[in-house]
């Protein structure tokens, strides 16, 4: 009877984790913060039903921080203004995070013209939502306003000419279709190792999308072309062609392409393409080098992505802590599992990561994010190598605890409580630059 109860509890936890992965691991074209505003503008423009002549957009402080410096796909132009403009002109209102998938060069040019004519305004609004954007589109005296909050695609309010068309109930609560209450890192490990393969087989799409981005980034045409630079230095003799370098190079190349405006979808994690890339590409590179089966790869991806989701659930949606580091902790778990299949080693790798890069700041989405990706993924490789030899940062050091779940909780406390003023200071510096 006791064994039946244990199995039943495990299956309930697995069901929640499957729902979490399906909700949090989704494709997106472009950085998800400006894309969220583009989606609000696209939905508003569809409702307006007339050519958009002017746009007034309002975003939360963190949305402003993450949207100021990143290239919008198909435009070769950075910022929230161009995102709102092309969303209204050429966005697919049913496209969710792929709202810009059908954007044409003509529509992109029209968006740039609108921005140049100062027909798009962007301002910060003081709201209780860390993730919030609203787009108000005009044609003459007619207007429609669409508000998105808490999740990048969650429409919470639509107004037209002063009339409320739609309002989501419980707007002030972040709604999720799953619960991670009571889940531990060991539960995530057991889930990835044992859940029926057909329940997680959809994760092969993460490999397809994010490795395609890596290949695009290796061409050296996007962002800071860090991946391509590292590859060139192999031929000069300054770098050795090691497996660790391959992991860093390919993962960073995918981030180069994504942040540099490639019109290719990224498989996201917890609302971020870079987090999805960091949780995917390292695992795929190791699995290929080790000639692992497709099932083994999918299970490693399930561990990486679900561990990243579990760790990120302790953080705000957007904060001063760079969540590429927490996604790379998921990657460290996935890579360690590929090499050892041992939970103790997995927990040691995560502890090593927490002792290394848990304080990296997020100063907005930009090409420089690929630098942070390379740092975090490099740290993950180092953490894995230490763990498989039985070395870890101990519970006597810094914010690391003996128990990996306590260490993860400490990251949450750092992000939620300790870095609030840091976040405000970062935004102030960025706004003064702008």
């Amino acid at each position: 009877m006791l064994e039946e109860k244990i199995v039943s509890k495990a299956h309930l936890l697995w069901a929640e984790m499957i729902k979490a992965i399906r909700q949090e691991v989704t494709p997106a074209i472009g950085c998800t913060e400006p894309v969220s505003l583009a989606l609000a503008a696209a939905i508003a423009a569809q409702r307006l039903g007339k050519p958009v002549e002017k746009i007034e957009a309002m975003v939360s402080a963190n949305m402003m921080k993450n949207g100021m410096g990143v290239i919008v796909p198909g435009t070769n132009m950075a910022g929230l203004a161009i995102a709102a403009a092309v969303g209204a002109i050429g966005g697919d209102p049913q496209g969710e995070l792929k709202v810009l998938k059908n954007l044409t060069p003509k529509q992109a040019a029209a968006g740039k013209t609108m921005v140049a004519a100062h027909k798009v305004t962007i301002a910060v609004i003081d709201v209780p939502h860390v993730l919030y954007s609203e787009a108000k589109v005009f044609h003459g005296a007619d207007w429609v306003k669409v508000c998105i909050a808490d999740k990048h695609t969650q429409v919470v309010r639509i107004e037209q000419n002063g009339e409320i068309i739609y309002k989501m109930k419980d707007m002030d609560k972040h709604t999720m279709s799953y619960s991670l209450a009571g889940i531990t890192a060991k539960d995530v490990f057991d889930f990835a190792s044992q859940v029926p393969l057909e329940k997680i087989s959809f994760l092969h799409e993460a490999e397809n999308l994010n490795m395609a981005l890596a290949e695009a980034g290796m061409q050296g045409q996007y962002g800071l072309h860090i991946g391509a630079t590292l590859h060139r230095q192999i031929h000069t003799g300054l770098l050795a062609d090691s497996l660790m370098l391959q992991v860093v190079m390919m993962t960073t190349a995918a981030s180069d392409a994504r942040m540099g405006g490639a019109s290719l979808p990224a498989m996201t994690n917890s609302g971020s393409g870079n987090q999805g890339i960091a949780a995917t590409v390292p695992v795929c590179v190791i699995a290929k080098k080790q000639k692992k089966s497709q099932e083994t790869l999918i299970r490693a991806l399930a561990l990486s992505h679900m561990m990243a989701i579990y760790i990120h659930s302790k953080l705000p949606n957007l904060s001063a802590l760079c969540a590429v580091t927490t996604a790379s902790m998921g990657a460290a778990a996935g890579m360690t599992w590929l090499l050892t299949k041992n939970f103790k080693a997995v927990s040691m790798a995560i502890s090593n990561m927490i002792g290394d890069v848990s304080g990296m700041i997020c100063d907005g989405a930009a090409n420089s994010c690929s630098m942070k990706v390379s740092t975090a993924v490099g740290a993950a490789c180092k953490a894995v190598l230490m763990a498989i030899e039985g070395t870890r940062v101990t519970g006597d050091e810094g914010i690391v605890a003996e128990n990996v779940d306590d260490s993860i909780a400490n990251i949450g406390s750092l992000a939620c409580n300790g870095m609030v003023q840091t976040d405000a200071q970062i935004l102030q510096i960025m706004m003064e630059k702008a």
Side-chain angles (χ1 to χ4, degrees), residues 207 283-300 334-341:
E207 175 193 12
V283 175
C284 293
V285 173
I286 294 289
K288 182 178 180 180
K289 182 67 174 180
Q290 296 287 312
K291 296 182 170 59
K292 300 296 185 180
S293 68
Q294 185 69 7
E295 175 178 348
T296 302
L297 171 58
I298 288 174
R299 291 192 180 280
M335 290 189 286
T336 306
W337 184 87
L338 281 171
L339 297 170
T340 68
K341 303 292 195 298

Side-chain angles (χ1 to χ4, degrees), residues 53-55 112-121:
E53 298 173 340
K54 184 177 70 169
I55 304 171
K112 292 179 181 180
T113 298
M114 179 178 281
V115 172
H118 305 290
K119 299 295 185 181
V120 184
T121 61

Side-chain angles (χ1 to χ4, degrees), residues 8-336:
S8 176
K9 179 185 177 183
H11 286 171
L12 288 173
L13 294 179
W14 290 0
E16 291 304 305
M17 284 188 267
I18 290 167
K19 286 191 285 186
I21 294 175
R22 285 197 171 275
Q23 181 169 319
E24 301 293 353
V25 182
T26 57
I29 296 177
C31 179
T32 48
E33 276 71 62
V35 162
S36 181
L37 179 60
L39 178 61
I43 295 171
Q46 181 189 48
R47 180 79 193 183
L48 184 66
K50 302 173 184 178
V52 175
E53 298 173 340
K54 184 177 70 169
I55 304 171
E56 294 176 357
M58 305 283 282
V59 297
S60 60
N62 282 86
M63 288 286 283
M64 177 67 83
K65 184 180 79 171
N66 272 23
M68 290 172 64
V70 65
I71 301 295
V72 176
T75 69
N76 197 32
M77 185 174 176
L80 290 164
I82 187 62
V86 295
I89 294 169
D92 176 4
Q94 280 76 48
E96 296 195 324
L97 292 178
K98 295 190 288 184
V99 60
L100 301 179
K101 63 182 177 181
N102 297 320
L103 186 69
T104 66
K106 183 177 180 181
Q107 291 166 336
K112 292 179 181 180
T113 298
M114 179 178 281
V115 172
H118 305 290
K119 299 295 185 181
V120 184
T121 61
I122 307 289
V124 173
I125 183 172
D126 185 12
V127 289
H129 311 276
V130 173
L131 197 162
Y132 179 88
S133 62
E134 68 176 53
K136 188 174 183 180
V137 301
F138 295 82
H139 180 94
D142 293 325
W143 59 267
V144 175
K145 181 167 71 175
V146 171
C147 308
I148 289 177
D150 295 329
K151 291 170 56 181
H152 293 87
T153 61
Q154 182 169 270
V155 176
V156 297
R157 187 182 181 94
I158 301 176
E159 297 179 39
Q160 185 166 12
N161 295 333
E163 178 185 354
I164 298 175
I165 306 300
Y166 168 77
K167 183 178 181 181
M168 191 184 81
K169 295 180 180 179
D170 298 323
M171 179 179 166
D172 293 329
K173 297 179 181 178
H174 177 54
T175 58
M176 294 187 298
S177 63
Y178 62 88
S179 171
L180 300 185
I183 286 177
T184 67
K186 181 60 163 60
D187 292 326
V188 176
F189 178 90
D190 291 340
F191 162 77
S193 303
Q194 302 171 27
V195 71
L197 184 64
E198 65 270 15
K199 300 291 187 181
I200 54 173
S201 59
F202 62 90
L203 282 170
H204 77 88
E205 188 65 10
E207 175 193 12
N208 295 340
L209 296 183
N210 290 343
M211 291 307 290
L213 270 171
E215 294 295 339
M218 287 301 294
Q219 302 305 309
Q221 300 173 352
Y222 295 105
L224 299 179
H225 37 82
I226 302 167
T229 298
L230 296 177
H231 185 258
R232 284 194 296 271
Q233 297 311 314
I234 293 173
H235 300 290
T236 68
L238 290 176
L239 292 172
D241 191 8
S242 65
L243 180 54
M244 180 174 175
L245 181 62
Q246 288 289 330
V247 169
V248 174
M249 188 169 63
M250 295 298 287
T251 310
T252 307
S255 180
D256 283 330
R258 185 203 174 230
M259 304 313 290
S263 295
L264 292 171
M267 188 63 82
T268 67
N269 184 294
S270 304
S272 163
N274 277 329
Q275 289 177 56
I277 287 166
T280 302
V281 178
V283 175
C284 293
V285 173
I286 294 289
K288 182 178 180 180
K289 182 67 174 180
Q290 296 287 312
K291 296 182 170 59
K292 300 296 185 180
S293 68
Q294 185 69 7
E295 175 178 348
T296 302
L297 171 58
I298 288 174
R299 291 192 180 280
L301 286 172
L303 176 57
S304 178
H305 277 278
M306 188 60 232
M307 193 68 77
I309 293 167
Y310 167 58
I311 298 171
H312 195 272
S313 71
K314 308 296 183 182
L315 313 178
N317 281 331
L318 300 170
S319 72
L321 190 146
C322 176
V324 164
T325 60
T326 57
S328 296
M329 292 171 197
M335 290 189 286
T336 306

